Amino acid sequence: MRYVSAPKRVITDLQGDGRGKALSAVAFGWFLSISTRMIYPALLPSIRSAYGLTLTTAGLLLTVLWIAYGVGQLPGGMLADWAGERPLLVASSLLAAAMLALVVIAESPPVLFVGTALFGLATATYGVSRFTVLKDIYPDRLGTATGVTMAAGDVGNAVMPPAAGFLAGAIAWQYGFGFVIPFFVVAAVALWLTIPSGSVGTVPLREAFSVGDLAGLFRRPVVRHSIVLLVLWATVVQAFIGFYPTYLIDVKGVPSTTATVLFGFFFALGSLVKPVAGRAYDRVGVRYPLAVMMGVTALTLAALPFASGVPSFVALTVLASAILGYETVVISNLTDHLPDGSRGTKLGALRTVYIMIGALSPVAFGGIADRGYFDEGFLAIAAVSLLVVAFVLVFVDY
């Protein structure tokens, strides 16, 4: 019998029955959705300079972006159950293009904040539907398909922030956002053409927009555990991602171009980490992959304030990328345990909880940094990472 390597076998399985094109379109849409949000941290020094923002106010801008993204998860999930993933993913891409245009033309901080909030809301509907549509397309390979999709996002995060930083330095910060707009339109077309037409809503309007049974959902141990794990993870990752480039530039004296390249490199590594994390979940479950990833993250964040020199930051960036596989494992497990039909609504509600709580960390971290405690901020989120490891080893046995 002819031997087929594991990576090739995975690719073949994902492409079978014409599903590869749909997966590629969903992955490209996520590539844009997440990487454009990651452009914000890369351009934060330029935005601060243009509008005279403090670190606290800059952190608030990131908090607004992620709170808006969190707020949109529940209605996004409801709309997915009612209207179906296909039209919702298309609408999300088109609305994101329009709202990003508002950010580009903003001439004052209030307009910048409003445009940012609307962009966060527009991309929120993509966040839920990409999971539920993959569950429909890949019922037996959800972890792997999710890992591939999320890895595509990290490829975008590796490419787009450095590209945006280059355009901001060469021309103006607005071009760092503006060049993305046409790609959202392309994504909308690709999603419409490739996602199966059967990906339509199956839940009546009144039932889709009902949240009466959510209280019962939170009584399930797997849901409670997942929410705790995701809230703690979001707290760490939002603070780290939001201020890592600024920290390297302002505190460690790293040139801005080098800092944005390191930021992109961090996400490039995620494109390798996430498929591995998805496969690990499919094979061994939740507990040990999470403990390893967050243990490495805790040690890395604790070492960051004591590091100096670009080689050290390269090494720490490599280690920090372990955190990028975390959500793949938890969300895959959570999606597997949600009931059919109302999966979008329930996943949207749960994502709203952890994203909104985690979104508070950038403004808090910015406030700490403004008071001269940038290093201590990283030590604090290292401690939160260790708390995750302890929680996983004590409470999670699956």
Side-chain angles (χ1 to χ4, degrees), residues 48-321:
R48 286 181 60 211
S49 177
Y51 293 102
L53 305 180
T54 66
L55 286 169
T56 304
T57 309
L60 180 61
L61 179 67
L62 299 178
T63 289
V64 165
L65 172 65
W66 288 103
I67 283 182
Y69 183 71
V71 166
Q73 299 295 310
L74 177 55
M78 292 173 170
L79 287 169
D81 288 339
W82 172 60
E85 289 89 351
R86 185 192 190 199
L88 198 61
L89 290 171
V90 171
S92 173
S93 299
L94 293 175
L95 287 171
M99 297 306 103
L100 197 58
L102 180 60
V103 172
V104 169
I105 64 173
E107 296 184 353
S108 66
V111 177
L112 173 68
F113 273 74
V114 169
T116 295
L118 293 175
F119 175 73
L121 285 170
T123 56
T125 54
Y126 205 100
V128 175
S129 297
R130 69 189 166 100
F131 289 118
T132 56
V133 77
L134 290 178
K135 177 65 175 175
D136 293 336
I137 298 173
Y138 297 99
D140 300 322
R141 295 276 185 179
L142 178 60
T144 304
T146 300
V148 169
T149 302
M150 297 181 78
D154 282 324
V155 172
N157 292 340
V159 174
M160 303 292 259
F166 172 79
L167 290 172
I171 311 174
W173 70 264
Q174 290 90 341
Y175 287 85
F177 286 115
F179 85 101
V180 186
I181 295 173
F183 291 113
F184 274 108
V185 178
V186 172
V189 174
L191 289 161
W192 182 260
L193 293 176
T194 61
I195 292 180
S197 58
S199 297
V200 297
T202 58
V203 180
L205 180 64
R206 179 179 298 179
E207 185 178 338
F209 285 83
S210 172
V211 295
D213 60 344
L214 291 179
L217 184 66
F218 282 95
R219 286 194 289 269
R220 299 177 61 184
V222 66
V223 174
R224 293 200 306 271
H225 292 166
S226 296
I227 288 299
V228 171
L229 291 170
L230 288 166
V231 165
L232 294 174
W233 168 81
T235 300
V236 173
V237 79
Q238 296 288 13
F240 175 74
I241 290 174
F243 283 96
Y244 187 45
T246 300
Y247 177 75
L248 292 177
I249 295 167
D250 290 358
V251 178
K252 297 298 186 176
V254 176
S256 59
T257 53
T258 304
T260 55
V261 168
L262 281 173
F263 192 56
F265 179 52
F266 168 76
F267 290 109
L269 294 165
S271 67
L272 303 176
V273 171
K274 288 185 177 180
V276 172
R279 290 284 286 175
Y281 164 71
D282 287 338
R283 288 177 175 271
V284 302
V286 173
R287 188 183 194 189
Y288 295 110
L290 293 189
V292 171
M293 286 186 284
M294 291 308 289
V296 171
T297 299
L299 294 174
T300 303
L301 294 174
L304 188 59
F306 306 100
S308 62
V310 172
S312 296
F313 297 129
V314 171
L316 290 174
T317 299
V318 171
L319 294 173
S321 68

Side-chain angles (χ1 to χ4, degrees), residues 340-365:
D340 293 333
S342 61
R343 183 180 290 116
T345 298
K346 291 179 171 57
L347 184 57
L350 298 175
R351 281 173 61 81
T352 292
V353 172
Y354 80 80
I355 290 174
M356 287 186 66
I357 296 176
L360 300 176
S361 69
V363 66
F365 195 94

